[in-house]
Amino acid sequence: MAQWTSAVGAAQLARLLNSQQDRPAGPGTRRPPAYRALADGIRLLVLEGRVPVAARLPAERELALSLSVSRTTVAAAYEALRAEGFLESRRGAGSWTAVPAGNPLPARGLEPLPPEALGSMIDLGCAALPAPEPWLTRAVQGALEELPPYAHTHGDYPAGLPALRAMIAERYTARGIPTMPEQIMVTTGAMGAIDAICHLFGGRGERIAVESPSYANILQLMREAGARLVPVAMAEGLTGWDIERWRQVLRDAAPRIAYVVADFHNPTGALAGEDQRRQLVEAARSAGTVLVADETMTELWLDEDVSMPRPVCAFDPAGSTVVTVGSASKAFWAGMRIGWVRGAPDVIRSLVAARAYADLGTPVLEQLAVNWLFSTGGWEQAVELRRGQARENRDALVAAMRKELPSWEFEVPRGGLTLWVRAGGLSGSRLAEVGERVGVRVPSGPRFGVDGAFEGYVRLPFTVGGAVAEEAAARLAAAARVVESGGSGGGEAPRTFVA
C-alpha cells in the first residue's frame, strides 16, 4: 500500500524549483553540484510547506525531462534526500516527501510560536502585538457585568448579538456608509468571515482573484477550499492597485470573487487611493464579481498626516458588489477573535443560514467585550495606544534594518503592521530556514504569492522595538551572511535574549 496522500506533477515541481532564484555566486564561492542544488531545492519546498509532507514526487525520468537535466542528477538528488530523511521510497509505489525524526512538520500558515519558545527566538512570523492593557481587562470585566441575561439563553446567536450588530452598523453609518443591523453578521475573526464568504460564493474550482502578493493565511484558506487563485500584481511601491491589470483579469478570467486589502495592505503596507477604489468597484460590478474588501488594518494609520480614503463599500451604494470584512484582531488584539461582515441583507441572511453547518456562532463573552469597547470609547483609546506601539516599533525596525542590511530594499508604509522587504538578491526561503537556526523567525516571500512568486522577499512585522528590533536585524544579517556563503547555519545556536 502506498504511503503518500497527494501527488506533485513534474511540471508543477519544476515550476516551484525554478522560482527559487538565488543570488549569483560571488568570487570564491563554490557552487554545489547539480544534484545537491536540486536536493536542497526540494528540501526547502518541503520545509516551506509548498510541497506537502507525504506528497508523491514525479518519477526520476519525468522530473529530469521537465528540468532539462540528466536522470542521474535526479536519482542522486533523491538518494541524498532519502539519506537525510526527507524522502521515502518503496519499489512499485514511488517516492514521497517526509520529515526527519525530530523535525517539526512545516507550517502551512504563519502560526505564532508558543510563548515558552520566545526566550531564545525573536518571532517575526506573526503580525500581532500584545494586548493594549488596561483595555483588555476592562473590556472583559465590563462583559462579565453584562453576561447574566445572556447566560439564561441557549447562547447561540448565528448572526451575532443584536447589540453588537447594531453597534457595528452605527459605526459604519458614522463613517458615511448608512448601514442597518440586518447588514451585519458577527464572525469568529476575519478568517471566519472570509471562510464563510468563500463557501457561499466560491465553491470548489471557482476562480478567486487576489492581489499579488496577498495575506498568506487567506491564500491558504482559499487553496484548502479548492479555489483557483488568479494573482493580480500590485502597482509599484506603495501606490496601491494596478487598475488596468485588474480590469484585464476581471474581464478575461471572470472570477467569482476578488479579495483585496485596500487599507495598509498585508504584506506591502500600500494604501489604495479613492479613485482606485471607485474604479475597482465599477470593474467588479461590470464583471459580475463579488469584491471582498478586508478592512482589518483600516484603523492602523501610523502617521498623523495620513488622509484616509472612503471605504470601498462607499462606492457600492446598492450593496450588490462589495462585501466588507472587519475585525478586532489587528487593531485591538489577536486573541480577541471577533470579526464581522457587512453586506446586503440577502447576503447576510444566506451567510447566517449556512452557518448552521459550520460554527453556529461566535463566543458571547468576547462579543460583549467588543461591544463594551465600542460603546464606552475604550476602543478609540485602545487603538490609539496600539498605533503608538506600532509606530515606535516601525521606526526602530526601519532604523535597525538600514544599519545592519543597507542593501535590502523596502519602502516605509504609513500604516499597518508589516514591512515588505526585498532581501538583496537572496532567497527568502533560505533566509527563513537559516533564520530559525540563528534565532529569528521570519516568513519568506513565497508564502504571500501564488506558485512560488516572491522568492527574493521576506515580510517583517512591527511586533518588536528598541533593543529587540536591533537584535532581530543583527540576527537577520547573520542569516544573510550564511546564505551568501552557501552554508546552512546549523552550527550557530541562538542566544537567549530578554528585553
Side-chain angles (χ1 to χ4, degrees), residues 115-329:
E116 61 269 17
L118 296 179
S120 60
M121 181 74 69
I122 298 176
D123 185 9
L124 298 181
C126 186
L129 289 162
E133 289 288 28
W135 298 107
L136 175 61
T137 298
R138 292 181 183 177
V140 173
Q141 290 171 341
L144 288 171
E145 293 175 3
E146 298 291 332
L147 183 61
Y150 296 94
H152 294 292
T153 73
H154 51 62
D156 286 334
Y157 296 86
L161 295 184
L164 182 55
R165 296 176 73 197
M167 182 60 69
I168 294 171
E170 183 179 314
R171 291 174 65 84
Y172 275 106
T173 301
R175 295 170 65 191
I177 318 296
T179 303
M180 304 178 295
E182 292 79 9
Q183 291 179 261
I184 302 295
M185 181 177 82
V186 181
T187 61
T188 307
M191 292 289 288
I194 293 170
D195 183 54
I197 292 167
C198 288
H199 279 88
L200 177 63
F201 291 108
R204 188 164 292 275
E206 290 280 6
R207 293 186 181 93
I208 299 180
V210 295
E211 297 153 320
S212 182
S214 186
Y215 179 40
N217 286 337
I218 293 297
L219 294 180
Q220 190 58 35
L221 182 155
M222 293 173 175
R223 291 186 187 102
E224 296 288 347
R228 297 162 62 190
L229 300 183
V230 183
V232 186
M234 297 287 287
E236 289 297 318
L238 299 178
T239 56
W241 301 318
D242 186 325
I243 293 299
E244 288 308 313
R245 286 178 177 172
W246 270 104
R247 286 198 181 103
Q248 180 180 357
V249 167
L250 292 173
R251 181 180 63 249
D252 296 347
R256 186 70 182 94
I257 300 171
Y259 168 76
V260 296
V261 183
D263 303 313
F264 310 119
H265 173 259
N266 186 352
T268 67
L271 178 64
E274 190 156 306
D275 195 49
Q276 290 179 328
R277 299 170 191 232
R278 179 187 296 106
Q279 292 183 62
L280 185 57
V281 171
E282 291 172 354
R285 184 183 298 118
S286 297
T289 297
V290 176
L291 183 60
V292 180
D294 186 335
E295 289 192 335
T296 54
M297 297 285 190
T298 295
E299 297 189 64
L300 289 176
W301 45 266
L302 303 183
D303 295 333
E304 295 296 334
D305 59 344
V306 172
S307 178
M308 292 299 296
R310 285 181 288 171
V312 175
C313 58
F315 304 98
D316 182 40
S320 59
T321 299
V322 178
V323 178
T324 303
V325 171
S327 172
S329 297

Side-chain angles (χ1 to χ4, degrees), residues 59 98 132 195 203 283 311 336 405 451 456:
D195 183 54
M336 188 69 76
L405 292 156
D451 288 336

